[in-house]
Amino acid sequence: MTVKTADGATINTRVTEGEQPAVVFVHGWANNQTIWDEEVISLENKAITFDLRGHGCSTRGSQKISLNVLVDDLHRVIEEKGISEYILVGHSLGGMLVLHHEARFSTAEYIVVMDTSAKPIGNKMSQFLSETISLPDLFHWKDEDTPIENYASSDILTFLQGLPSTSTNTIWECFEAMHHNEVTTTLSTPATVIRGTNDYLLPEPYTKSVRSVLTDSDMVRVADAGHFPQLQRPAVINEVLKTVIDQCQVTDPDVSASSDRRNND
């Protein structure tokens, strides 16, 4: 199933039917929607995943990629699928899009963002790109006796898996977009912020920047996970999502208010 944008991009989507509220998953830079497979399978709720424009099976369209353009795409997917009650879940670049979407529309019942930032990314990402580009012959790896795992961390390997289906222009335009990322609006949407304890790509100050713009959030730190906790510790992420869904299904406001939530820890 696809969604067409005003500038001609074709957004590849996947819908798994289930209970309400629906859960809309937004993947990160140079990945695709399959990064959420473990989470979609574990849910009893309706799940919507899609490839960001220029990623996976989605085309680029005529506009230069920016955070605003990607947020427009996210909102179009939500509208096209006709969902009114939903939870937004975003990782890395996808987390930035979730934050900006809520800043503009404030329509989600709950948001979950993991290993992301509310401020511009900087030197760590540049270092990551340098390390990635310096790896030997990544796209035509022929040394079968030396596994590529010997040369790179699991975070870099996960990033690399998405590169063949992501154009060079898309990679750099998204990088530029993240470099200019800044959430300036305080968000009141209930939120859970997730961070892999071994995420050295986006260090702790980026996580603090996210919590600083959320007035109602809790924090989950995933031990022994790096930048991709949904792949490295999927059982933990699935449990967090089930807890969030249960909270959204509580209709008694007194019960909702009694949950243990901390702001800006």
Side-chain angles (χ1 to χ4, degrees):
M1 292 180 286
T2 60
V3 170
K4 284 284 190 179
T5 69
D7 70 318
T10 300
I11 306 300
N12 184 47
T13 68
R14 181 177 61 184
V15 179
T16 303
E17 295 299 335
E19 300 175 1
Q20 296 293 328
V23 183
V24 181
F25 293 92
V26 191
H27 70 77
W29 181 42
N31 298 135
N32 60 61
Q33 62 184 310
T34 62
I35 204 168
W36 299 112
D37 282 354
E38 290 282 350
E39 287 67 38
V40 171
I41 291 171
S42 75
L43 290 180
E44 296 180 357
N45 291 61
K46 184 173 185 175
I48 298 172
T49 61
F50 65 99
D51 295 327
L52 298 177
R53 66 167 60 209
H55 295 71
C57 295
S58 293
T59 62
R60 277 179 49 85
S62 61
Q63 294 189 79
K64 180 179 178 179
I65 295 175
S66 66
L67 291 178
N68 282 336
V69 168
L70 294 173
V71 169
D72 287 342
D73 292 346
L74 167 58
H75 196 65
R76 191 171 186 90
V77 168
I78 292 170
E79 288 187 323
E80 287 276 332
K81 300 309 176 185
I83 55 174
S84 57
E85 299 178 4
Y86 59 92
I87 297 164
L88 282 178
V89 181
H91 167 254
S92 196
L93 170 59
M96 299 175 199
L97 300 181
V98 166
L99 294 172
H100 283 282
H101 184 274
E102 277 306 285
R104 282 172 57 183
F105 299 102
S106 191
T107 50
E109 291 195 21
Y110 201 107
I111 62 175
V112 178
V113 292
M114 64 182 76
D115 294 274
T116 191
S117 175
K119 67 178 184 178
I121 58 93
N123 294 333
K124 279 290 182 180
M125 187 68 77
S126 299
Q127 178 184 347
F128 173 73
L129 282 174
S130 299
E131 291 173 353
T132 302
I133 292 170
S134 70
L135 292 173
D137 201 16
L138 288 170
F139 297 104
H140 304 283
W141 187 254
K142 298 180 178 66
D143 185 359
E144 297 179 359
D145 295 328
T146 308
I148 194 171
E149 285 82 355
N150 291 7
Y151 290 85
S153 72
S154 62
D155 283 348
I156 291 179
L157 289 171
T158 302
F159 173 78
L160 292 172
Q161 289 169 3
L163 287 180
S165 61
T166 311
S167 71
T168 301
N169 285 343
T170 296
I171 290 171
W172 289 108
E173 286 179 7
C174 287
F175 176 66
E176 181 181 356
M178 290 187 291
H179 189 69
H180 293 96
N181 169 57
E182 189 162 14
V183 179
T184 57
T185 304
T186 300
L187 307 179
S188 59
T189 308
T192 293
V193 180
I194 300 174
R195 173 178 176 77
T197 57
N198 297 331
D199 183 3
Y200 302 112
L201 177 56
L202 292 180
E204 185 69 30
Y206 291 104
T207 301
K208 289 182 177 179
S209 75
V210 174
R211 298 214 71 195
S212 71
V213 301
L214 299 170
T215 63
D216 182 15
S217 69
D218 57 10
M219 182 76 211
V220 176
R221 299 184 184 277
V222 184
D224 302 319
H227 189 64
F228 296 91
Q230 72 272 52
L231 295 177
Q232 296 153 342
R233 298 292 303 280
V236 176
I237 303 305
N238 292 341
E239 190 61 34
V240 170
L241 293 178
K242 289 175 182 177
T243 299
V244 167
I245 291 167
D246 287 345
Q247 290 179 3
C248 289
Q249 291 172 336
V250 172
T251 57
D252 184 343
D254 293 332
V255 174
S256 299
S258 68
S259 62
D260 180 18
R261 304 180 63 78
R262 295 168 294 164
N263 294 332
N264 304 328
D265 288 354

